[in-house]
Amino acid sequence: MMMDYVWLIPLFPFVGFLINGLLGKNLPKNVVGTIGSVAVGLSFLVTVCIFAQVLKLPPEARHVEKVVFTWIASGPLQVQAAFLIDPLSLIMLLIVSGVSTLIHIYSVSYMHDDDGFYRFFTYLNLFVAMMLILVSANNFLLMFVGWEGVGLCSYLLIGYYYEKQSASDAGKKAFVVNRIGDFGFLLGMFLIFWTFGSLNFKEVFALASKYPVGSGVITVITLFLFIGATGKSAQIPLYTWLPDAMEGPTPVSALIHAATMVTAGVYMVARCSALYSLAPISLTVVAIIGALTAIFAATIGMAQFDIKRVLAYSTVSQLGYMFLACGVGAYISGIFHLMTHAFFKALLFLGSGSVMHGLSGELDMRKMGGLKKEMPITYWTFLLATLAIAGIFPFAGFFSKDEILFHSLVDGKAIYWGIATAAAFITAFYMFRAVFMTFHGESRVDHHVAHHVHESPPLMTVPLMILAGLSVVGGFVGMPLIEGAHVFRNFLSPAITPVAHHAAAHPTAAFEIFMMVFSMAVAGLGIYTAYKMYILFPDLPTAICDKFRTIYDLVYHKYYVDEIYDTVVVEPIKEGSNILWNVVDAKGVDGVVNGSAGIIAYLSAHLRKLETGFVQNYAFAILLGVVVITGYLIGR
Amino acid sequence: MTLNIPSFNLASIGPWITLSIFAIAILLADALSPKGNRTAAPLLALAGLAVAGFQTISLWGKNGLDFARMVYVDNFSLFFYMVFILGTALTVLISLQYLKDYGKNLAEYYALLLFATVGMMLMAAGAHLIMIFLGLEVMSIAVYVLAGLFREDARSNEAALKYLVLGAFASAFLLFGMAMLYGAAGGTLFLNDLPGRLTAGFKPLTLLAIALLVVGFGFKVASVPFHMWTPDVYEGAPTSVTAFMAVGVKTAAFAAFARVFFLAFPTLMPDWTMVLWVLAVATMTLGNVVAIAQTNIKRMLAYSSIAHAGYLLVALVAANQLGAVSLMYYLLAYTLMNLGAFGVVILVGRKKDSYLSIYDYAGLGAQHPALAAAMALFMFALAGIPPTAGFVGKFYIFSAAVKAGYIWLAIIGVMNSVVSVYYYLRITVLMYMKPAEADLGPINFAPAVTATLLLTAAGVVLIGVFPGFLYNLALNSVKIFPGL
């Protein structure tokens, strides 16, 4: 049975990580790249084999756990290093290993002139190994290992160009913000253990099903877990790290910050559908946060000029859609969108990387334009992906996004649908704005760059074309309307616990078709607006911006959220630390002595310190402690 | 007149005897050997530790009292013996080159390490409060001297003096508390007898005694507000001694702390857990927040060690079996990761602690990838990131708190570990993401220190991935606490 070898899936990239990490420095770049790509490719191969086998099993038997060893055996707490093979983890494994393979191949060419080539592939392989652990773990703790691991790799890769201050700052920010999310995850995990006495998915979900809908403890657990999800999947209020994460190399943005790692939160919510379905309050929170993030990030995306930042905010916004889907109980639609998004967003990022490659690293769309002719493959694949994300039939994004819009109305509230539809309009607008600014119109490329604009080599364009193919046909696994044709849903549903109260309203096919046409019309309107503003009347945007200067500034500066966080959270902690140190805690003398004059000054400072009685101060603190503790114990 | 000699078995205190004999042998060998030849001392120390370790293993599984009920021979104390032996042995390894650079590779240094270890063992095994006090003093006096080893260095002097003065102050409280307890219990200080003898009528006196014991132990584990000596002493003392204090002294104090409170005061648990709850929160928070502002690596690790005392206090507050187990596991994990980190500090400090600023770690990732990777591992372990031992330890501790119903304490603890990431991560950021500001010269990779780093790094990962074995050992050891 191939399934017995499921542990090979994360092992291959891990071995790649070890080889490249230990020996990579002395290996030629081609070898390093090949090792990295082949390692991930092998994981994909194993996943496909297992997938083929699982398809042969009857749907109810598609849940297999393979224990490698027992990690923590502590009386009641039994945690295994074990893998879970079920439809949900298989879909995730396929997406992660498949997209990763393509991005690895692309990177061999993209990163070829980089000095840290081996370092890049080392981190990338470690990331893939961790991500594969995250999605295939059979318990919360092992999932958390992957969860932390991908955070660590993401941090290393964002700060990859560490000579740049902004890059290392961005890496740090990503890590710290993610840790805030992880804190929620950890607490959720402790509560799960406290409540159910287990961390194994199957056991926890089985025990949870005995709880009533709306049970307090499950609501708290799911809310804590969702804090974790907002950190990893860049939702309000913890989304700020993702746009900054664009400081990393572009393949990293494509792989980690668009296609895979950031979807971990969505995966986790879907994985815990058995818990979320019991907590209506949490679901409402998930839906609201998702919807708000979708529109909030989309509006910011309208005013950015850095092509990667546009894509970054678009990612945040699309992740919002996925959470909205989960929040209204349409977990499968959320995962469906996760998959199609992985295809077209990876493609968009790789496409923007190809543009950067052709333009010697230019990111500002104001210095692009008219690239259609020089970079035909990049242009056409980018256009296909844009059509997909805008939700135009029959591209992949149409099916998944339409499903989410549909469910947000039918299973949720009209307001969710309204917000999501507005966000869809904005998405279509700013994505085509990007296309028009980059590829159409007059060239605004700098002179010294202009004469060597070129299409990227095949090693980069072939992955683009494969992803473009997937962005076109990827949606057909989720055919609406026709009974039984939604193979994606049929495959996934055994792994998902639906929300109980549904199934009452079953809208007619006519209504469904009307909804589709409507959302298409909205997308079309967005595209037309962009066309009007950036092709027909290129002066219009400036005029509009001038007219609504305040609003524009607000949006352009991303609503000043970073500044607010800095003033409200970051600075007070730094200040507090200094105050605590200086005032509450005695401040000592830092630093190393320089020269003999320094020594004397130093000695005197210290001797004086001894004489004027710091020790007495310390003793006084002890005495104070004594008084307070005795007073408390005896006096109460 | 009949002379009543209680029966006793010397094997019960075999490790103490061995270490004492070896310590004396080190001094004698030094006196008799030609001047300047000190290679024998560290070797003898390691040999003594090895023999003591072997004796400890052979005692494993025994469960009882010896020496007129003064000494416990049980797995709880034996587990800690092993932690002490490991900590001391690793300290010996990181000391060699460091002391040579200072011209201070003295035989008495190693002898004092062994004497201090004997004191720690007394603390972990004492069945009578006087025994515990005796152990505390044996340990402390040796460490006072060690802290002032660099007599010519003002900082080292200052460290020793401060530690001595304040240590004496705290010991007085401890002793005073024991005296109160003696009165309250009607004339006994045997831990086994105390629960039965502490009657309700003397509750105020007992509570007073508990408060004073908290002060005494709180000082040794560096808990707020008895922590203020820690940064100064840790910074001033020789780095190898700082490492020894951070792991050995703290572990011993926690062993005694746990034993006394779990065994003697189970009925008063609601009273003392509340006090420790507050101390734990204050200690964690102050340690972590202030650590952020530090730029000297030894001071940073000092505050980090204060923060860790806070986490360990959480395990005491939980006061259940998992809490006791997590305490033991964490102390071992802490010994490994902290000694590893101090090993790196010694290497990066180069000759005579020339480079102790955290900015001296800039660019280390490019210059010495292996050393930087090891330091990153220790930092991640201290921050509690899986799959290192630090993560599993924190996971045990906070699970224990949650299990005991202290949800808020666990929340505060986890929040604290989030804050702590900031300063541990800063070292990693400096190593990997900042270019070196200047060429600080080559690092002398002394074989003993390198071996320590390899051992501790492997240990941090190994017991993180396979904690089961240790967990079972610890679980086996905490069966002695009927109150949990």
Side-chain angles (χ1 to χ4, degrees), chain A residues 364-398:
Chain A
D364 191 333
M365 294 194 293
R366 285 169 296 194
K367 293 183 179 167
M368 296 178 184
L371 295 176
K372 195 170 141 186
K373 282 188 295 296
E374 281 94 350
M375 313 182 81
I377 303 177
T378 307
Y379 168 65
W380 283 106
T381 50
F382 199 91
L383 183 66
L384 292 176
T386 311
L387 287 166
I389 193 176
I392 301 297
F393 182 83
F395 299 97
F398 166 76

Side-chain angles (χ1 to χ4, degrees), chain A residues 529-607:
Chain A
T529 317
Y531 179 69
K532 203 169 158 187
M533 282 175 70
Y534 291 92
I535 299 289
L536 292 183
F537 308 107
D539 299 330
L540 200 58
T542 337
I544 295 178
C545 295
D546 284 340
K547 204 167 172 190
F548 301 102
R549 183 46 67 182
T550 335
I551 298 177
Y552 177 77
D553 277 347
L554 190 65
V555 176
Y556 179 74
H557 289 107
K558 307 152 221 163
Y559 300 101
Y560 296 97
V561 172
D562 275 316
E563 286 78 2
I564 294 172
Y565 282 3
D566 254 1
T567 347
V568 180
V569 184
V570 180
E571 288 305 320
I573 290 186
K574 277 191 190 164
E575 279 299 299
S577 167
N578 270 320
I579 292 172
L580 258 183
W581 182 31
N582 288 328
V583 181
V584 182
D585 228 48
K587 183 176 178 177
V589 177
D590 285 325
V592 185
V593 189
N594 304 317
S596 53
I599 293 179
I600 292 166
Y602 193 81
L603 277 179
S604 68
H606 267 278
L607 288 175

Side-chain angles (χ1 to χ4, degrees), chain B residues 63 76 321 324-325 472-484:
Chain B
N63 196 358
F76 184 78
Q321 278 208 345
V325 168
N472 288 332
L473 285 189
L475 188 68
N476 200 290
S477 313
V478 301
K479 296 263 158 65
I480 55 160
F481 299 122
L484 299 188

